[in-house]
Amino acid sequence: MSDTTGNGNAPNMPSPATVEVVRNAFISGAEQMRRNLYRSAHSPVIYEMKDCSVGIFDSEGRLLGQAPGLPFFLGSLGGTIRAVIGIKGYEVFQEGDVWIVNDSSIAGSHLNDVTVYAPIFVDGRLRGFTAAKAHWNDIGAKDAGFAGDTTDIFQEGLRIGPTCIFRDGRLDQQIVDLIALNSRFPTALVGDLMAEISACRTGVERFRSIVRRFGWDQVEKSIQAVFEQAEAEDRLSVAEIPDGVYVESAYLDNDGVTEDPVYVKVTVTVEGDSMTVDLTGSNRQNTGSVNSGIVQTRSGIEQGFKFLVNPHSPVSGGNFRNLEVIAPEGTCFNPSETAACLKYGPHLMLALDLMIKALSRVVPERAAAGHVGDSWNVIIVGEDEFGLFLSGEALTGGWGAYEGGDGESALIHSAAGDFKNFPIETMEHRYPLIMRRHSLREGSGGDGKWRGGMGIIREYEILAPVTIQLWFERAVQQPSWGLFGGQDGASPEVWVHRPGEAPEKMYKANDLKVEPGTRLVVKTGGGGGWGDPAERSEEDRATDRRLELVT
């Protein structure tokens, strides 16, 4: 612990031990929020797949404590709170309030990601916020689940601006009813909403208990010490990167509506102990939904920064103070308020990878080869005796190798962090399908001195008439690249086998109707290799063959 944590002998300053206890108390409080959310949520996408994040923040929306979740969400939670404060001001918040928002121009991601947040009052004064963000399966878009061919925000569902749903501790049932009326799964929606509210209330109580234990003066000074330490560590880490301007660019396959590739350019400038990430030159706002609001864009770039800078320390409101993000208005990273944003992730995931690739030339020990290029969605929608159902998945793939080690296999993109796969037992129990195969995809990792991780193969047999939605990126334009002589990872493949017909290869589909007996075979991409394949040890080669990791 550095001197910035305070000297225990100085008047009224918390001791280093107190600072650490306070720091970890907020993290523990966030973990309790997360567990409450998982355990009380209605939808498998939350309680099984963990498509959610929670956090505790100070009164300015700066992070105090987070639990494992989606890194993409964590930066946007604080950014959303700050955006709402900028729109509404502080005076609108009252003790006992709970608020809700999902508008992409405020929260940054798609409308299915709904943020619930609550102000924290201690002795009548606003001291902080708690927030939870979770994916709701249906928010009233033009199609159930993911409408991957949208061209504006109005096709993507109900836009909710900053709205108070609890005032003085009393639920505004009319607002809840209005939101539920716009969903194809109203019961699940209300259940997931109440789970997020419960998580936020848990965070409020944990915050207050920390203040009761230590007193606000000690808590406030401990928070400041934590922030100062985080900033100092970030600056020290960036200062170790050689000054310079580092540029990388690549293309996504398309935006889901047009066939035009989506260009992403990242310019990383390191000057002293500060870093600037400039997205100037990237695609203009896309016709399709490959766009992200500025709050989500900043969150994604912060994640790339954290990958490279001081990655092993907890994140707090003191981080990212030496990071500037430039995203010109009118681009896919800072679009208009009415832009379609359903697929807000692919270009951000590519930008994140390009940041790492750009700096790999000067800090290779911090970098990795290209990995899991997309969230690779498989959505199955249909009806059974209980009504409409929706099965939604984001699939795993291979991570890039790094200096000293092979890439991990069958792991979700780093943007999704703690995201889990959908258990086969749950899927087969809830939906009319059989999972005929779930395995590693042999040979999909790029060869190298250190081998890229492998993707997976999932084979679905459909047992009833359903509609399938697919979104697979980085299949044509840019597979997961190798570094320093390593080979690229294999691109993803999706094959649709209809009874009595030749297999059909596709990567994106929004309204693919299939009959019983159809098989869907999905092969996700592998990670890039690192270093000359000729330098891979014979021992590692023998292990690859023994474990059947290569063809």
Side-chain angles (χ1 to χ4, degrees):
M1 180 67 70
S2 70
D3 291 340
T4 59
T5 59
N7 185 339
N9 297 322
N12 299 320
M13 292 300 295
S15 68
T18 298
V19 171
E20 285 304 305
V21 171
V22 170
R23 181 209 303 267
N24 285 281
F26 282 120
I27 294 172
S28 175
E31 176 61 29
Q32 288 181 314
M33 291 176 63
R34 181 179 77 125
R35 291 181 182 273
N36 278 11
L37 177 55
Y38 290 172
R39 291 171 176 170
S40 56
H42 188 283
S43 301
V45 70
I46 300 175
Y47 69 73
E48 290 282 8
M49 299 176 69
K50 313 297 192 283
D51 193 348
C52 56
S53 285
V54 299
I56 301 175
F57 304 83
D58 72 4
S59 60
E60 296 180 34
R62 297 176 298 187
L63 181 66
L64 302 178
Q66 66 176 19
L70 273 68
F72 250 23
F73 281 2
L74 288 166
S76 66
L77 278 174
T80 298
I81 291 171
R82 292 189 292 272
V84 171
I85 292 171
I87 295 168
K88 295 286 190 179
Y90 286 101
E91 62 276 4
V92 299
F93 298 113
Q94 299 180 20
E95 190 163 358
D97 281 2
V98 177
W99 289 66
I100 185 172
V101 63
N102 77 338
D103 192 353
S104 301
S105 66
I106 298 172
S109 58
H110 51 214
L111 299 181
N112 297 74
D113 294 336
V114 180
T115 300
V116 175
Y117 55 101
I120 305 170
F121 285 81
V122 179
D123 297 327
R125 298 190 63 180
L126 178 64
R127 296 300 191 188
F129 292 89
T130 60
K133 187 171 185 175
H135 181 94
W136 292 3
N137 272 335
D138 190 88
I139 196 70
K142 71 182 186 68
D143 300 309
F146 272 22
D149 60 351
T150 55
T151 56
D152 62 47
I153 195 72
F154 305 108
Q155 298 173 343
E156 297 185 350
L158 181 66
R159 294 172 72 189
I160 307 170
T163 303
C164 182
I165 59 173
F166 267 87
R167 177 65 79 185
D168 296 326
R170 297 179 180 178
L171 176 66
D172 190 331
Q173 189 62 47
Q174 292 186 90
I175 294 176
V176 175
D177 291 344
L178 177 62
I179 296 172
L181 188 65
N182 282 274
S183 175
R184 296 171 178 85
F185 304 102
T187 301
L189 180 150
V190 174
D192 294 339
L193 169 61
M194 294 305 167
E196 289 190 69
I197 292 170
S198 173
C200 287
R201 285 177 165 167
T202 299
V204 170
E205 177 50 38
R206 292 299 299 126
F207 189 108
R208 288 172 175 166
S209 70
I210 295 168
V211 175
R212 285 195 299 268
R213 178 179 178 185
F214 295 100
W216 175 248
D217 178 71
Q218 291 288 288
V219 171
E220 184 178 36
K221 290 175 179 176
S222 295
I223 291 170
Q224 184 59 33
V226 169
F227 287 177
E228 290 173 358
Q229 181 192 21
E231 180 180 4
E233 290 177 344
D234 276 3
R235 291 190 180 279
L236 180 63
S237 183
V238 172
E240 294 172 347
I241 303 173
D243 284 3
V245 179
Y246 310 98
V247 183
E248 286 290 346
S249 63
Y251 288 90
L252 294 175
D253 297 343
N254 55 63
D255 66 2
V257 173
T258 72
E259 293 300 319
D260 299 329
V262 176
Y263 183 61
V264 175
K265 180 181 179 182
V266 175
T267 303
V268 181
T269 302
V270 178
E271 186 174 358
D273 62 1
S274 296
M275 180 184 295
T276 299
V277 178
D278 190 351
L279 301 169
T280 300
S282 297
N283 237 68
R284 300 297 295 173
Q285 176 178 315
N286 286 302
T287 302
S289 63
V290 181
N291 301 294
S292 55
I294 187 62
V295 165
Q296 186 60 55
T297 293
R298 287 197 181 107
S299 179
I301 298 303
E302 286 174 359
Q303 182 187 334
F305 179 89
K306 187 62 175 174
F307 189 103
L308 293 159
V309 175
N310 191 24
H312 301 296
S313 297
V315 180
S316 76
N319 293 109
F320 314 120
R321 292 179 174 179
N322 59 332
L323 171 67
E324 181 183 4
V325 179
I326 299 174
E329 291 186 7
T331 64
C332 59
F333 293 102
N334 190 5
S336 71
E337 291 186 2
T338 60
C341 291
L342 188 78
K343 295 297 180 180
Y344 69 91
H347 60 305
L348 270 176
M349 295 178 192
L350 180 55
L352 188 159
D353 283 353
L354 289 171
M355 286 177 62
I356 297 167
K357 185 179 182 183
L359 289 176
S360 67
R361 298 190 290 272
V362 290
V363 282
E365 70 281 1
R366 302 189 188 190
H371 75 288
V372 187
D374 192 31
S375 56
W376 293 326
N377 298 126
V378 177
I379 313 262
I380 300 174
V381 182
E383 291 193 49
D384 57 20
E385 65 270 26
F386 303 107
L388 192 69
F389 66 81
L390 184 151
S391 167
E393 293 183 274
L395 301 183
T396 60
W399 278 41
Y402 56 94
E403 187 175 36
D406 295 339
E408 295 292 339
S409 298
L411 200 62
I412 198 72
H413 191 283
S414 62
D418 200 40
F419 207 90
K420 311 297 184 186
N421 67 295
F422 206 152
I424 292 172
E425 297 84 354
T426 302
M427 294 187 69
E428 293 184 341
H429 173 71
R430 293 179 65 101
Y431 310 119
L433 59 84
I434 297 175
M435 193 68 69
R436 292 298 184 186
R437 182 179 181 185
H438 178 66
S439 67
L440 293 175
R441 183 184 178 189
E442 297 175 8
S444 57
D447 201 3
K449 182 177 182 179
W450 292 287
R451 175 185 43 74
M454 288 180 292
I456 64 168
I457 299 176
R458 278 169 84 87
E459 182 176 340
Y460 309 73
E461 181 179 346
I462 307 301
L463 304 179
V466 299
T467 297
I468 295 176
Q469 300 166 0
L470 300 171
W471 184 279
F472 280 72
E473 255 299 338
R474 307 270 287 271
V476 178
Q477 289 288 336
Q478 182 60 69
S480 298
W481 51 76
L483 287 179
F484 305 106
Q487 296 179 0
D488 293 348
S491 298
E493 296 180 11
V494 183
W495 293 91
V496 180
H497 298 256
R498 301 175 188 269
E501 298 182 18
E504 183 180 4
K505 188 177 183 180
M506 61 182 63
Y507 298 111
K508 293 182 175 71
N510 192 63
D511 191 28
L512 182 67
K513 292 180 170 55
V514 301
E515 296 302 315
T518 299
R519 289 185 299 117
L520 179 69
V521 180
V522 174
K523 302 177 181 181
T524 66
W530 181 292
D532 187 346
E535 297 180 15
R536 188 165 180 80
S537 71
E538 283 304 316
E539 181 181 357
D540 287 340
R541 294 283 184 201
T543 300
D544 291 344
R545 291 190 294 270
R546 179 174 59 84
L547 298 179
E548 299 181 350
L549 303 181
V550 294
T551 53

